[in-house]
Amino acid sequence: MKIRYALALAALLPILAACKADDGSTNTTAAPAEPAATPAATTEPTAAPAAGSEGAAPAAAEGEKAPAEAAPAAAPAPTTAALTGPAPVEGADYQVIPNGQPFQPAAGKIEVTEIFGYVCPACAAFQPLVGPWKAGLPSDVNFVYVPAMFGGTWDDYARAFYAAQTLGVQEKTHEALYAAIHSQKTLKGERGRDSVEDIAKFYAAYGVDPKQFAATMGSFAVNAKTNSAKQFAQRSQISGTPSIIVNGKYLVKGKSFPDMLRIADHLIARERGAAQAH
């Protein structure tokens, strides 16, 4: 697997996060529909015989029990992908992250994070695979993009990611920004350094006021989120991008991009089984 290596994280000074990042990336897989409720049987009411008339219906025997109500149907389990290939082996296919925790813990959810960089060619090549895979994840999996903070233009685009998220355009611009940098080359990426105004101009095409976007990139809230993202990458001991992390515990290795996703499927299933065992 060809992984884009950037500045080593060991060279980055730790930065204390002002607050926990509030990432808006959500699982796009719709939850399974609730089973339709069974309609109650209806009967026409029977008129009670007049008092004293012959053929009056006898009263129900004392102690006779009413029929038990049917138990409600259980909620459907998340639809899971069929696992392929051998079970992953620690050290060869993934490494355990010491004291690993999800980036954004959510009750009842298994978190998968991709640490990525818009300026990274390997991440751009990975997106056509990870995008559809993300869309097909089960309803109990929460996929979160975490931008890498490797300095310079990487940091500029990490701030752009969180500014776009804050202004509600991150999802619809994610792939388009990769294309602008790597295919259309209307933005420089690592071939130079795009100014904040250059980046804001890209987002203006999606209905965002460029001045508001530039101001949001430099806001306290966005700085807090990028600091949190940087700390998460450091704790996860990544050496390059793209990196896939399952539930904050496992850093996926793999021999190719498809192999990374195959291993991630196995680790998701492992985490699901562990949760169900408790």
Side-chain angles (χ1 to χ4, degrees):
M1 175 190 68
K2 182 178 179 182
I3 298 291
R4 172 73 173 178
Y5 286 90
L7 299 178
L9 285 178
L12 299 175
L13 295 176
I15 299 178
L16 294 178
C19 64
K20 185 175 179 63
D22 183 18
D23 193 286
S25 300
T26 57
N27 175 25
T28 57
T29 305
E34 292 292 331
T38 304
T42 56
T43 56
E44 292 293 329
T46 304
S53 63
E54 293 183 6
E62 187 176 349
E64 183 177 342
K65 295 182 179 180
E69 293 184 3
T79 302
T80 57
L83 300 179
T84 60
V89 176
E90 182 180 348
D93 298 314
Y94 68 92
Q95 68 184 52
V96 176
I97 299 169
N99 303 313
Q101 295 293 327
F103 181 64
Q104 277 199 304
K109 296 287 186 178
I110 301 163
E111 182 184 88
V112 175
T113 54
E114 182 200 351
I115 301 180
F116 77 101
Y118 281 123
V119 302
C120 166
C123 298
F126 188 45
Q127 182 58 34
L129 294 176
V130 75
W133 182 80
K134 168 182 177 284
L137 286 171
S139 59
D140 64 341
V141 179
N142 186 37
F143 187 98
V144 181
Y145 287 115
V146 177
M149 295 282 289
F150 289 158
T153 192
W154 287 75
D155 292 6
D156 295 338
Y157 277 100
R159 293 187 184 95
F161 171 86
Y162 283 120
Q165 191 181 89
T166 300
L167 298 173
V169 294
Q170 185 275 317
E171 285 285 346
K172 67 181 179 181
T173 57
H174 190 69
E175 293 189 4
L177 186 51
Y178 273 128
I181 295 170
H182 300 281
S183 302
Q184 301 160 3
K185 294 182 169 50
T186 52
L187 290 167
K188 300 182 186 71
E190 284 195 305
R191 298 183 302 276
R193 186 160 186 179
D194 299 298
S195 67
V196 170
E197 290 73 24
D198 291 333
I199 297 171
K201 184 178 178 181
F202 165 83
Y203 285 98
Y206 295 87
V208 177
D209 178 80
K211 291 184 179 179
Q212 182 186 15
F213 191 89
T216 305
M217 279 183 65
S219 68
F220 175 84
V222 164
N223 284 334
K225 291 179 180 182
T226 55
N227 289 343
S228 186
K230 184 174 184 177
Q231 289 187 329
F232 179 75
Q234 290 175 325
R235 291 196 307 269
S236 301
Q237 302 178 349
I238 71 164
S239 57
T241 55
S243 289
I244 293 290
I245 297 162
V246 177
N247 233 17
K249 298 179 181 179
Y250 309 111
L251 174 60
V252 174
K253 292 186 174 183
K255 301 175 179 65
S256 64
F257 289 158
D259 196 41
M260 287 173 65
L261 299 180
R262 181 193 70 80
I263 293 166
D265 281 332
H266 277 270
L267 295 174
I268 290 168
R270 178 184 298 181
E271 287 297 286
R272 182 180 295 114
Q276 291 171 349
H278 289 297

